[in-house]
Amino acid sequence: MPAQIHQFMCLQDNFGVLIHDPATGATASMDAPEAGPVLAALAETGWTLTDILVTHHHNDHIGGIPGVREKFPSARIVAPEKDRARIPGADTYVSENENIKVGNLTARVIETPGHTTGHIVYFFEEDHLLVAGDTLFALGCGRAFEAPPAVLHASLQKLAALPLDTKIYCGHEYTLSNAKFSLTVDPANEALRERFAEIESLRAANLPTLPTTLALELKTNPFLRASDSAIQKQLAMSGADPAAVFTELRELKNKA
Ligand code: ZN
Ligand code: FE
């Protein structure tokens, strides 16, 4: 049976995501940015929390865990092995290519260092569903806080190789600001211009711009397009190494 998804806002601009297996009733909270909204989402859906799958150690992704656990003490906490020291007290620590079951659903762990060294994402292979945390955003990517941008670039290239119809859930609603930046580096991209208009109207109506798809990101997200000749030309970097182009894009966005 396909997974059911419930997405909602937490804190200022974080997304909460519940993934539910209707066959077994298992439900995972993807990170736990804030206890109140996660518990409200569980009450609203009537789903019983069984798992909390953590992408990385930042407080806006794990800060809600204690409050959620108080209400669901048996929920299993899954966290990145490489963040064992920074996310103490998890029940299971996972590494590259490990499979995690949420009821009958299976998530494959993909290590995506860059935003943080321990960052992982969860790919529900059968459902073509990716929970990307702060590695990949709609029209953007996370800041490279704990590694050189080239490391983040390599991580994003791993995600770019997933099936084109992969549905992507991200950690934050940053899409409008990302779209504005994207247009400055890829102004002639027709698909991007169209998407910008859609994003503006969604945000004007206070609606989420997520989930996105890998196909759409590959066409419009400059951080997945560092080898694109139009972007390279716009940056006066024609023929440059895509990792160097990505680094420049990341630095320009940091200053934007
Ligand atoms: Zn983060
Ligand atoms: Fe975050």
Side-chain angles (χ1 to χ4, degrees):
M1 258 192 245
Q4 293 174 2
I5 317 290
H6 181 66
Q7 178 183 255
F8 51 96
M9 298 310 297
C10 295
L11 302 170
Q12 282 291 94
D13 51 32
N14 278 77
F15 282 109
V17 173
L18 298 179
I19 297 188
H20 177 71
D21 174 28
T24 62
T27 303
S29 177
M30 307 308 295
D31 291 325
E34 188 184 10
V38 174
L39 293 172
L42 287 161
E44 190 190 328
T45 53
W47 297 343
T48 300
L49 189 73
T50 52
D51 301 275
I52 301 173
L53 308 188
V54 176
T55 62
H56 68 295
H57 72 88
H58 285 156
N59 198 55
D60 63 315
H61 297 259
I62 63 171
I65 291 178
V68 171
R69 254 274 187 111
E70 217 170 280
K71 203 82 201 284
F72 294 93
S74 60
R76 171 184 64 158
I77 299 169
V78 178
E81 170 65 38
K82 293 202 165 94
D83 267 339
R84 203 175 256 277
R86 297 195 288 192
I87 310 175
D91 302 292
T92 310
Y93 291 93
V94 290
S95 306
E96 178 79 2
N97 265 325
E98 247 177 88
N99 284 328
I100 277 290
K101 297 287 261 184
V102 176
N104 289 342
L105 309 175
T106 304
R108 176 157 59 86
V109 171
I110 304 175
E111 293 185 339
T112 55
H115 178 66
T116 65
T117 50
H119 198 299
I120 59 176
V121 302
Y122 295 90
F123 179 51
F124 293 80
E125 198 137 28
E126 254 177 64
D127 291 86
H128 285 200
L129 199 80
L130 176 71
V131 178
D134 287 357
T135 293
L136 176 65
F137 295 129
L139 294 176
C141 68
R143 284 182 187 248
F145 282 128
E146 298 181 4
V151 172
L152 178 57
H153 180 247
S155 293
L156 288 165
Q157 288 305 111
K158 283 162 84 175
L159 304 186
L162 294 175
L164 286 178
D165 65 352
T166 299
K167 252 192 196 170
I168 306 173
Y169 289 83
C170 308
H172 293 267
E173 178 59 73
Y174 289 160
T175 314
L176 184 56
S177 123
N178 288 342
K180 288 176 182 160
F181 172 76
S182 297
L183 275 176
T184 67
V185 295
D186 199 8
N189 183 334
E190 204 44 56
L192 175 59
R193 295 157 72 107
E194 259 172 49
R195 193 177 179 193
F196 182 77
E198 280 162 29
I199 288 161
E200 273 195 314
S201 56
L202 283 170
R203 292 312 295 147
N206 204 24
L207 291 170
T209 60
L210 276 287
T212 179
T213 66
L214 184 58
L216 184 56
E217 294 311 313
L218 288 172
K219 273 189 233 157
T220 54
N221 185 335
F223 294 95
L224 296 181
R225 296 164 55 74
S227 53
D228 180 78
S229 57
I231 292 178
Q232 294 197 351
K233 199 166 169 216
Q234 184 72 19
L235 300 184
M237 293 182 82
S238 291
D241 175 11
V245 177
F246 176 87
T247 299
E248 177 66 11
L249 286 167
R250 193 53 269 178
E251 276 164 14
L252 287 170
K253 177 67 168 77
N254 291 349
K255 288 183 258 168

